[in-house]
Amino acid sequence: MMETPLPKAPEKRQVTAIIFLLLLWEAGSATIKYSVLEERDSGSFVANLAKDLGLGVGELAARGARILSKGNKQYLQLERKSGNLLLKEKLDREELCGDIDPCILHFQMLLKNPVQFIQGELQLQDVNDHAPEFLENEILLKISEGSHPGTSFPLKIAQDLDVGSNTVQNYSISTNSYFHLFTRNHSDGKKYPELVLDQALDREEQPQLRLTLTALDGGSPPRIGTSQVLIVIVDINDNVPEFAQRRYEVQVPENTPIGSLVITVSARDLDAGTHGELSYSFFQYSNQIIQAFEINSITGEIRLKKALDFEEIQSYHMEVEASDGGGLSGKCTVAIEVMDINDNAPELTMSLLISDILENSPETVVAVFGISDPDSGNNGKMMCSIQDHLPFLLKPTLENFYTLLTEGALDRESRAEYNITITVTDLGTPRLKTEYNITVLVSDVNDNAPAFTQTSYTLFVRENNSPALHIGSVSATDRDSGTNAQVTYSLLPPQNPHLPLASLVSINTDNGHLFALRSLDYEALQEFEFRVGATDRGSPALSSEALVRVTAPRPAPSWCPGRPSRATW
């Protein structure tokens, strides 16, 4: 179902609205938007594109409609006959978008004949398929017996891969006489539990408490996760560790070697002895943080434990705790920003390729392709080009989509094959590039008539020749190829209607050899002319003609004693 359906209106107004919407799509200023729940089965119905775009039955198939997605991963498929847009596979919102909300998958629909792009968005709606989960089954909390009622103690949060109302919404603690629990909001919007002391503690009376912490999400039905909270009551330690900064910020290039120092946090405690000895540890953290970083419990040095990847995670936020030997602790926040380096070459995804082009065709689409680069800033900006001095041009269509076109009509007789290299270069330092090679063949069109080697031929034949005598040949060539270049010869009707050409001469249709069909008599016919034609076998067939003149030389006189002379031919 489209996100913004067209309102009902009289038929004429509906047609006008559809035409206006299609014009907006032509200009690339409108986007069709759909939404679907995650985890739906492959083949599930999303929408009827033909209906939503106001296209007739079968028009999507007639125009070769295709669904294109960024890169080579396709999440949607199109039934051209029905116009239905379907899920190609089951989609997991958490896998595709993580904690990004809303989760938008961009796609394009390509229509050929003529080429047209339509932008589309598919929003994956979250379903409550993950329960809250604490990273530790038991949370240890040390509290001084000198703590005053009303003192608050933040607890570690539960992780929930869902988003929105399906993520953690509330925390609760098991019933007890000493504490109640508040659910607070972090600056990033995540909720965390905070214990509040209701009455004074007495270590000698009760040295420790064990409570159950429950995280509840907002799904329907809701899911829960639990962790045990072990509260150890410690003797009075009247100075809490304090960090030199409440917030530490650092930028780290993504190609930083494993083991490198990222930052050092530092705290101090005015107490003496074990109450002044500090130990550093991560407090609020996720699996991503403990996989990527480690902290030295003595020095507070945070070092890289795993290679960083800007394209995967751009920043990390964590809380570090400094605990003294008496059980008190102070906390600070560490923000680590991953700096992008140009470590990804651009990618080219070919969507449409036509490698055989008819010559003499006007501007023709050869290829449609998309380019992408997961880097950021100038490292992710790209430019696309082909070689100079080729009769082709690149035309940008949508963002990072290009169409390769012929610049005009091609002539096979001038050049029958083109090797085109598409080069995609990013603007990073150093610049990285990707090349894609295309071979375009120019198919022949019958646009050249056969051409005789001479415009006219003169043949000399003595009289009294033998019948079927080979008296000469004509020859024509055709610059086209294949059947378009195969030539057939023929005798054309004589201009002199009284000339019995068919009984005088014949021609071999394959090679142009001419033959005298009977013995010629100089006294009866001294010279005659006729035309021959050369026709190719193309469609439509083209032809040309040449003039042939047959001349009989005057015979030499011969004398016989006692008789008058007589010329013979």
Side-chain angles (χ1 to χ4, degrees), residues 35-49:
S35 62
V36 66
L37 290 174
E38 66 167 327
E39 302 294 345
R40 291 184 65 186
D41 292 332
S42 173
S44 294
F45 176 81
V46 177
N48 187 282
L49 275 179

Side-chain angles (χ1 to χ4, degrees), residues 124-139:
L124 273 186
Q125 295 179 338
D126 186 50
V127 297
N128 192 26
D129 54 348
H130 294 88
E133 182 180 359
F134 290 93
L135 295 180
E136 298 176 5
N137 292 327
E138 183 177 272
I139 300 172

